Amino acid sequence: MIGFIANRLIRSVVVIFLISVVTFTFMQLVPGGPFSADAGGRPRAPEIQRRLEAEYGLDRPPVEQYITYMRRLLFEFDFGPSLRQTDYDVNQIMFGVDFRADPFHAPVLVSAQIGLYSFLLAVAVGIPLGVLSALYRNRWADHVAMFITTFGVSVPNFVLGLMLILLFSLTLQWLPVFGWGESWKQAVMPVLTLGTGGMALIARLTRASVLEVLGQDYVRTARAKGVVERTVIRKHAFRNALLPIVTIIGLQLGTLFAGAVLTESIFGLAGVGRMLFESITARDYPVVQAFTIVIAVIYVFANLIVDLSYVFIDPRVKLN
């Protein structure tokens, strides 16, 4: 186990390093620069642009820029200054200018809360819905479950978000459209918008996995021996169907955190997705690099947890 964890951690570091290199390279290849007019800023004289680029080290060779960036990150955990919001550095933008006074509105924590609540919704509803659909195959419960999951998979996030706003905010006036952290009502529509797709995907995969296991010989044998149906489902069917379900759940954990760009934009939430989109448009290289690394770390950590969970779900699995 220790050797496996050490091996995966080394691979994870390599993956994160390669992601940082690719992100930095692509940002360098984007036409224009953070201080040019095409980045959304006001037009500047060429000499002012050159002075600003020299001040932030953008006039140096790309390799030297990357080495300087990584040295600061590894030894000081400093993502550097923002090129768009020049009064703040990237750490302040990610965690909030005044994190201690207002922690709930820090972009990283806003996205983390939305992603966590959406993840819990997807798992808590998706797995029971998939199991129910498999147990009552081709009956009314299965048809209802498949209608819900098909709707969840087919409707894009931004369409679902607008539908929820029209229904619950404009028509019924039950929920607020904007805001975060003041009331639980502010979280309902963003979490539903982001979590519905993941819920539908988990439910459909759970249904397929459980149906496959229910057709195995050992399940038929357990039923023939007179084992209680609840025990057959819980110990024989569901546990053996968990491996693919856990895999998709681990992927969803990273996807929900990274895929909130449209959701945060619809509901006016200042989270990682919205900040990342604005930073890419403004050519704010350090912010894009920082958010990309954070999202990569979450994906890598989620996959490591999934791999470790295989052993506890199925002792026959060997870690290599």
Side-chain angles (χ1 to χ4, degrees), residues 272-304:
V272 168
R274 184 179 174 186
M275 290 282 184
L276 181 59
F277 176 78
E278 294 175 354
S279 299
I280 292 174
T281 305
R283 318 296 203 274
D284 198 344
Y285 307 140
V287 175
V288 176
Q289 190 88 350
F291 283 135
T292 305
I293 291 176
V294 169
I295 293 172
V297 169
I298 293 174
Y299 264 108
V300 168
F301 179 75
N303 279 276
L304 178 61

Side-chain angles (χ1 to χ4, degrees), residues 9-318:
L9 287 176
I10 293 173
R11 293 184 181 182
S12 301
V13 171
V14 174
V15 169
I16 294 171
F17 167 74
L18 293 176
I19 289 174
S20 68
V21 171
V22 171
T23 305
F24 183 86
T25 302
F26 275 106
M27 290 302 297
Q28 293 290 325
L29 295 176
V30 173
F35 303 111
S36 59
D38 56 0
R42 63 181 183 276
R44 294 184 175 91
E47 59 273 11
I48 296 179
Q49 289 191 35
R50 287 192 294 268
R51 181 176 60 81
L52 290 172
E53 291 173 355
E55 180 180 348
Y56 288 94
L58 300 180
D59 58 338
R60 302 174 185 174
V63 175
E64 184 178 346
Q65 293 182 43
Y66 179 78
I67 293 175
T68 302
Y69 175 84
M70 293 303 297
R71 185 188 299 118
R72 184 190 299 117
L73 175 60
L74 294 176
F75 293 102
E76 303 176 18
F77 192 67
D78 182 8
F79 287 102
S82 171
L83 305 180
R84 179 170 62 98
Q85 304 181 42
T86 54
D87 293 334
Y88 308 112
D89 57 32
V90 178
N91 290 38
Q92 290 176 310
I93 294 174
M94 291 178 63
F95 297 102
V97 177
D98 192 352
F99 175 77
R100 293 182 179 179
D102 193 16
F104 292 103
H105 292 82
V108 168
L109 288 186
V110 169
S111 292
Q113 291 174 76
I114 298 174
L116 178 60
Y117 298 155
S118 303
F119 173 76
L120 294 176
L121 171 69
V123 174
V125 178
I127 292 180
L129 192 64
V131 173
L132 180 69
S133 178
L135 296 179
Y136 295 94
R137 183 182 183 184
N138 294 329
R139 297 165 67 178
W140 68 267
D142 183 25
H143 296 316
V144 172
M146 286 300 96
F147 173 79
I148 295 174
T149 57
T150 302
F151 177 83
V153 171
S154 305
V155 179
N157 282 355
F158 65 92
V159 175
L160 179 59
L162 294 176
M163 291 170 60
L164 293 176
I165 290 175
L166 288 173
L167 176 61
F168 292 109
S169 292
L170 300 182
T171 303
L172 300 176
Q173 298 183 355
W174 288 353
L175 301 173
V177 179
F178 304 109
W180 184 264
E182 285 80 19
S183 171
W184 63 269
K185 294 182 178 180
Q186 296 173 332
V188 173
M189 290 193 294
V191 169
L192 284 176
T193 301
L194 188 59
T196 299
M199 177 273 296
L201 185 61
I202 292 174
R204 294 181 73 88
L205 182 61
T206 300
R207 178 183 184 273
S209 184
V210 171
L211 282 176
E212 181 181 358
V213 172
L214 287 176
Q216 299 297 321
D217 292 338
Y218 58 83
V219 174
R220 289 194 292 266
T221 301
R223 285 172 170 168
K225 288 181 177 180
V227 179
V228 179
E229 184 67 14
R230 181 182 303 174
T231 303
V232 172
I233 299 301
R234 180 170 55 88
K235 287 189 175 181
H236 297 279
F238 183 65
R239 185 171 182 179
N240 287 281
L242 268 181
L243 286 182
I245 299 173
V246 169
T247 302
I248 196 65
I249 287 176
L251 294 176
Q252 284 297 309
L253 180 60
T255 302
L256 291 176
F257 182 83
V261 178
L262 291 176
T263 302
E264 292 174 0
S265 299
I266 292 172
F267 296 100
L269 304 177
V272 168
R274 184 179 174 186
M275 290 282 184
L276 181 59
F277 176 78
E278 294 175 354
S279 299
I280 292 174
T281 305
R283 318 296 203 274
D284 198 344
Y285 307 140
V287 175
V288 176
Q289 190 88 350
F291 283 135
T292 305
I293 291 176
V294 169
I295 293 172
V297 169
I298 293 174
Y299 264 108
V300 168
F301 179 75
N303 279 276
L304 178 61
I305 297 299
V306 168
D307 289 343
L308 293 176
S309 67
Y310 288 161
V311 177
F312 300 98
I313 295 173
D314 189 349
R316 295 171 300 177
V317 175
K318 301 297 182 182

